[in-house]
Amino acid sequence: MSFNDTLGKIKPHIPYIIALAVLTIVIAWSWLSPYKFPWGEHVSSYYPRAQILKNSIMQHGDFLPLWSPYTMSGTLYFAKADTVTVGSLLYFFIIMMPPLLAVKLNYLLNIFLASVFMYILVLYLGYERRIAFIAGMLFVLNGLFTKVFMWGWQTTIDAYVLMPLALLFTIKAVREKEWIKNSIILAV
């Protein structure tokens, strides 16, 4: 498949993807300043953990710290379910930017990716682009996601983003002949 063929398939979806990006900006308008952060779980919990991870990487070259000497006079870091780890996009952002900016970018990108992944799932199910756009919008505007985002439960948001992809590859594994490939993608 040539680049022009690929571009021709993607082109009709670009306005909807841009609209989902604008929706992300509208939802998180107060987060767009790189130096301000609304108080809540974001600051009191995830920012310090991101700082611990950044220090571990920069000072010790340790990308998977097992212990945090800063939390509760010393506690496990990597072995806890609510820790910033490889399951989060934040892990990759922390290497390139300050922890505060990395935490904010992770939240914003999660909103955008959640809407896009739902858009892709609904398209795969055979609905038209307009319906897929509405589904993507509703997926990030529903009460659960709004509550989780406002309370700052980053680990829950990290999992929520992947739900449409998990459902997509589950359906593909059941429907299509290449079920092994789709099952492996689902497992990863």
Side-chain angles (χ1 to χ4, degrees):
M1 182 182 296
S2 71
F3 177 74
N4 289 335
D5 292 340
T6 305
L7 186 61
K9 286 185 176 182
I10 295 173
K11 201 172 184 178
H13 302 286
I14 291 174
Y16 295 101
I17 302 299
I18 290 171
L20 292 172
V22 169
L23 176 67
T24 301
I25 292 169
V26 169
I27 291 172
W29 182 254
S30 64
W31 288 54
L32 294 181
S33 169
Y35 304 108
K36 293 181 182 176
F37 213 172
W39 180 256
E41 192 75 9
H42 327 288
V43 175
S44 64
S45 184
Y46 292 106
Y47 172 67
R49 293 174 190 171
Q51 187 65 49
I52 290 167
L53 181 61
K54 177 88 171 190
N55 290 347
S56 176
I57 292 169
M58 296 303 175
Q59 294 174 3
H60 308 291
D62 186 5
F63 285 83
L64 296 172
L66 299 177
W67 185 259
S68 167
Y70 308 107
T71 308
M72 297 168 45
S73 299
T75 187
L76 295 174
Y77 181 83
F78 187 67
K80 295 170 77 177
D82 62 348
T83 302
V84 176
T85 58
V86 291
S88 170
L89 293 170
L90 177 63
Y91 193 87
F92 302 104
F93 295 145
I94 201 95
I95 297 168
M96 301 177 283
M97 58 189 66
L100 181 64
L101 195 56
V103 169
K104 289 177 80 166
L105 183 59
N106 185 58
Y107 277 106
L108 295 174
L109 196 57
N110 278 336
I111 296 169
F112 177 67
L113 289 177
S115 62
V116 169
F117 291 160
M118 182 54 75
Y119 177 82
I120 292 168
L121 171 64
V122 174
L123 283 177
Y124 177 79
L125 293 174
Y127 293 94
E128 59 186 79
R129 291 185 299 265
R130 180 176 49 93
I131 302 300
F133 170 73
I134 292 170
M137 220 171 49
L138 291 176
F139 192 63
V140 295
L141 291 175
N142 69 56
L144 172 69
F145 188 80
T146 304
K147 178 191 79 146
V148 167
F149 177 73
M150 296 311 287
W151 287 1
W153 297 346
Q154 182 175 339
T155 51
T156 305
I157 292 173
D158 289 339
Y160 186 84
V161 167
L162 298 176
M163 285 192 319
L165 285 181
L167 188 56
L168 172 68
F169 286 106
T170 301
I171 293 169
K172 288 179 78 145
V174 171
R175 282 187 181 174
E176 297 179 4
K177 288 184 179 182
E178 295 180 335
W179 66 271
I180 293 176
K181 178 184 86 170
N182 290 316
S183 298
I184 291 171
I185 293 171
L186 176 62
V188 172

